[in-house]
Amino acid sequence: MTQAQLEALLQRLTEELAAALLAEPIDLRVGHRVGTELVAAHIASAEALGRTVEVVQLRLARDLGLVEEEVEDRLARLLAAVTTGYARAMRDRTLDEQETIRRAAMTARAEAERALRSSEARFRHQATHDPLTDLPNRTLLTERLSAAIDSPAGGSARLGVCFLDLDRFKVVNDSHGHQVGDGLLVAVANRLRLALDGHLVARLGGDEFVVLVEGTTGTDDAVAVADAALAAVREPVLVDGHELSVSASIGIVEREVAGTSPGDLMRAADSTLHWAKAAGGARWALYDADRDRQDLARYALSAAIPAALERGEFYLDFQPLTSLRDGRVLGMEALVRWRHPELGVLRPDSFIGLAEETGLIVPLGGWVLAEACRQAESWAVGTGPAPFVSVNLAVRQVRRAGLVQEVRALLRHTGLSPERLQLEITESTMMSTAEEPVRALRVLADLGVRIAIDDFGTGYCNLAYLRNLPVTELKVAGEFVAGLRAPEARADERILASLVSLAHALDLTVTAEGVETAGQAERLRAIDCDAGQGWHFGRPDSAERVLARLR
C-alpha cells in the first residue's frame, strides 16, 4: 500500500468513527469494522492499536467541537468496539496464518514423502535391475526365487530355472569391441523379454541370463521356455552396422520347491549349463542329480590334490617293461597312486584327468618325475644293467618353459644317469605344430634321455613325421594287443607287424602295452616286437617288490 492509499484509508476510517460518534443511536458495528480494517491494512501491532485509541480519544471529540463530558461514554463504547474488532481480526488473521502454515507444512510433508518414495523407488530399481539391459538382476532374481520357494502352496509347488549363456560371445567383444558387444547384449535382452513374456528374465552379468519359470507341472514346461529362448537368440542381430550371429547354451533345472533353496537351484543350473557347453553349445541340457553328484565328487577330489601333495599321500608303483627276446627287464614305468584318507587307494584314472583340467598336473607331475628319479637311482638287478625308469609327462608339462632345466636339476640332484630316464609323451603332444616343446625334447634327447611316444596308434599315427622328432621308442596302444587274444584274429596282428617294421626302419624300438597272456607275448615276439608291458609280465607294485621278483 502506498503512502497516499494509507492516508486515504485513515481519513475514511476517521470519518466513519466521527459519524458513528454523532449518530443516534450510536452504531458500534462501525467500531468493529474500523478495527477489522486496520488489521486488514496491516496496521497490526500493539503499538498501532494503542496509538489509534490515543489519537481518537484525545482529538476526535475536540475536532468535532463536542464537549468531552457529553461524549465520554459514547466515545469509550466506540473505542471498545474498535478494540474488539481489532482483536478479533488479529485472532482470525493469526488463525488463518496458522492454518496456512499447517497446510503448507502438510503440503511440504506430502511432497517430501512423494519425493522420498520416488527416490526410494529409483534406488530400489537401480539396486534390483541391470543398468545395461534394465532386466532384473541377481538380487531381484534371488528375491523372486525365495518368494516362490516360500509360497503358501508349500512343497507341492514346482518351478524351473533356465540358465542361459551366449556361445562365443568373447569373439564378438574381441572382434568388434565392447560397445558392439553391449549392443548385442541389449538386443538379446529385449528378445528374451518379448519371447518369454510372463516369465522373469534376469541378467546376472556378462552374457549370462536366467529365466524363472514358476508354477511348472513338469520338465516339459521348462524345456518349452528354453526352446523359445534358443530360438529368440538364434536370429542374426544388427548392431552398429554389424550383422552378428550368436547361439546360446542353457542349463535347465525343474523340481519341487520343497527342500531346495535359491543357492541350490542356481548352482545346479550353472552346472547343467556347463554340460550343454561341453556338448558343443547351441542346445539345452537337463539337470541330472547323479551326474551332478559325480561332478561334485570330482571337484572335491581335484581341490584336495594340493594338500595331498603336501601331506605325502601320493606314492609310486612300478610296472616292468620286459624284453620279448630274452625276458630281461629293460625298464619300469612309474605309476602314481593316491592313498586318500577317505576313499582309499585311488588309481591314476581317478584323478589324473582332473589334475590335467585344473593345471595341477604340473606340480603333481613334477613330484612324480622327481620321486621316480630318486627311487630309480638305487635300482640294481643282479649283474646286468639297471633298468631305466619311464615317466609319463602331461601336455602342460611338456609345453611349460623350464622343462629342460627341471630334468637337468633332477638328474644332477639324484645322480641318475640320463640314459636311465625315459619320458613318455602322448602322440598328440608330439604332433603339435608348436616348435618350443619339440626343441626342449631334442635338448633332452641330446643329453641321453630316452623319449617314448605312449599309446601310439590311437592318435595321428604319422610315422613319417617321426623322422624329425627326437623319439627313441614307440609304446603301442593296448587296443591293438587285445586283438591278439583270438588266434583267428589276424587284422590286429598285421597292423602291429606293420607298425613294428616301420618303427625299426626309423631306428625306433617298440613296446607293446596291455600284454596279459603268454599267447599274446608269443605272437608279439613272432613279429619282432622288442618289449612288452602288462599283467603277463607283472602287475604294478612297489619298486622293491618288483625288483625282488626279478632277482
Side-chain angles (χ1 to χ4, degrees):
M1 182 181 294
T2 65
Q3 183 65 28
Q5 290 173 331
L6 178 59
E7 290 177 356
L9 172 64
L10 294 176
Q11 178 64 35
R12 179 174 61 78
L13 295 179
T14 301
E15 292 172 354
E16 290 181 5
L17 287 173
L21 189 60
L22 297 173
E24 191 63 47
I26 186 171
D27 188 358
L28 297 178
R29 290 176 300 176
V30 174
H32 292 147
R33 187 167 60 251
V34 169
T36 300
E37 289 201 43
L38 287 172
V39 173
H42 298 286
I43 305 172
S45 67
E47 293 79 2
L49 177 60
R51 183 60 177 161
T52 298
V53 171
E54 181 182 6
V55 170
V56 172
Q57 188 174 26
L58 295 178
R59 299 185 57 180
L60 186 59
R62 187 187 62 187
D63 291 344
L64 292 175
L66 299 174
V67 178
E68 187 174 347
E69 291 79 0
E70 296 176 355
V71 294
E72 183 177 355
D73 178 64
R74 295 167 65 89
L75 185 58
R77 292 167 61 195
L78 186 59
L79 288 174
V82 170
T83 301
T84 301
Y86 190 94
R88 289 175 177 172
M90 281 291 290
R91 181 199 63 193
D92 292 343
R93 194 180 77 166
T94 300
L95 292 175
D96 289 344
E97 289 175 350
Q98 290 176 342
E99 179 64 18
T100 300
I101 292 172
R102 187 183 69 82
R103 289 179 179 176
M106 291 178 62
T107 301
R109 185 181 299 112
E111 291 177 353
E113 290 176 352
R114 282 195 297 272
L116 180 61
R117 286 194 295 271
S118 177
S119 177
E120 289 176 344
R122 287 197 305 273
F123 285 136
R124 166 70 178 168
H125 188 84
Q126 292 171 358
T128 58
H129 286 75
D130 171 53
L132 177 65
T133 63
D134 202 40
L135 288 176
N137 62 12
R138 186 186 297 271
T139 299
L140 184 54
L141 172 65
T142 302
E143 290 179 1
R144 286 286 298 273
L145 273 172
S146 298
I149 291 171
D150 298 334
S151 65
S156 61
R158 302 182 68 89
L159 57 77
V161 169
C162 297
F163 199 148
L164 181 148
D165 182 86
L166 299 182
D167 299 326
R168 297 174 296 281
F169 176 72
K170 185 176 183 297
V171 175
V172 175
N173 273 340
D174 293 345
S175 302
H176 304 291
H178 289 278
Q179 183 174 349
V180 173
D182 287 348
L184 174 60
L185 291 174
V186 171
V188 168
N190 290 334
R191 287 186 177 184
L192 292 175
R193 186 186 287 114
L194 291 174
L196 308 177
D197 186 32
H199 300 293
L200 177 74
V201 181
R203 180 186 178 222
L204 301 190
D207 58 336
E208 295 180 336
F209 300 84
V210 172
V211 185
L212 175 59
V213 189
E214 297 187 61
T216 56
T217 58
T219 56
D220 288 348
D221 293 343
V223 167
V225 170
D227 284 334
L230 291 178
V233 173
R234 192 179 299 124
E235 295 298 321
V237 179
L238 188 64
V239 180
D240 291 347
H242 302 281
E243 185 172 313
L244 307 174
S245 295
V246 294
S247 59
S249 301
I250 299 179
I252 303 173
V253 178
E254 194 279 337
R255 62 174 59 160
E256 289 185 349
V257 301
T260 191
S261 69
D264 289 341
L265 281 167
M266 292 304 299
R267 190 205 59 77
D270 188 25
S271 296
T272 311
L273 169 63
H274 289 298
W275 302 345
K277 288 279 189 183
R283 69 193 67 206
W284 51 258
L286 197 60
Y287 177 75
D288 181 284
D290 290 337
R291 181 176 178 181
D292 189 35
R293 280 191 292 271
Q294 293 173 4
D295 284 354
L296 287 175
R298 283 168 53 84
Y299 173 79
L301 202 60
S302 66
I305 291 176
L309 275 170
E310 292 182 4
R311 291 192 295 263
E313 294 175 4
F314 292 98
Y315 68 95
L316 296 182
D317 275 345
F318 295 87
Q319 187 172 36
L321 283 70
T322 305
S323 170
L324 290 171
R325 294 185 177 91
D326 56 16
R328 182 170 55 90
V329 173
L330 305 173
M332 294 201 295
E333 180 179 355
L335 302 171
V336 64
R337 304 288 191 255
W338 183 355
R339 192 177 286 105
H340 195 282
E342 298 175 0
L343 303 176
V345 174
L346 300 179
R347 298 173 60 82
D349 53 4
S350 300
F351 57 88
I352 289 296
L354 298 176
E356 290 177 338
E357 291 173 11
T358 59
L360 293 170
I361 192 63
V362 173
L364 177 58
W367 178 86
V368 171
L369 180 60
E371 180 65 13
C373 290
R374 185 190 68 80
Q375 293 195 40
E377 194 279 331
S378 63
W379 293 347
V381 181
T383 59
F388 62 81
V389 65
S390 192
V391 181
N392 287 275
L393 289 188
V395 175
R396 288 178 185 262
Q397 290 179 274
V398 177
R399 295 179 180 175
R400 188 172 66 92
L403 175 63
V404 173
Q405 292 82 350
E406 179 184 4
V407 173
R408 276 177 170 163
L410 282 174
L411 295 176
R412 184 171 57 252
H413 178 72
T414 61
L416 185 70
S417 64
E419 294 77 12
R420 291 191 55 220
L421 174 62
Q422 176 169 284
L423 300 178
E424 297 189 18
I425 316 295
T426 61
E427 189 175 340
S428 58
T429 302
M430 293 301 292
M431 301 307 170
S432 168
T433 57
E435 180 61 27
E436 189 57 36
V438 175
R439 186 181 298 114
L441 293 175
R442 284 200 180 102
V443 173
L444 291 174
D446 290 341
L447 290 176
V449 175
R450 302 166 57 91
I451 307 296
I453 294 184
D454 191 22
D455 283 332
F456 189 79
T458 59
Y460 294 90
C461 197
N462 189 342
L463 280 171
Y465 188 58
L466 295 177
R467 291 179 302 176
N468 300 317
L469 294 176
V471 177
T472 54
E473 176 167 320
L474 301 183
K475 297 188 71 178
V476 179
E479 288 90 329
F480 295 101
V481 178
L484 301 182
R485 281 176 173 270
E488 70 278 3
R490 296 296 177 182
D492 285 336
E493 184 174 345
R494 286 193 292 270
I495 292 173
L496 284 169
S498 298
L499 288 176
V500 170
S501 177
L502 288 171
H504 287 170
L506 295 171
D507 293 327
L508 305 177
T509 59
V510 181
T511 296
E513 298 180 298
V515 182
E516 299 182 354
T517 67
Q520 289 173 316
E522 184 58 38
R523 295 177 73 173
L524 288 167
R525 188 178 297 109
I527 62 174
D528 204 21
C529 184
D530 301 287
Q533 178 182 357
W535 287 4
H536 174 66
F537 299 104
R539 298 197 177 198
D541 205 340
S542 68
E544 292 79 7
R545 283 191 287 269
V546 172
L547 293 173
R549 291 197 297 266
L550 300 176
R551 292 189 178 99

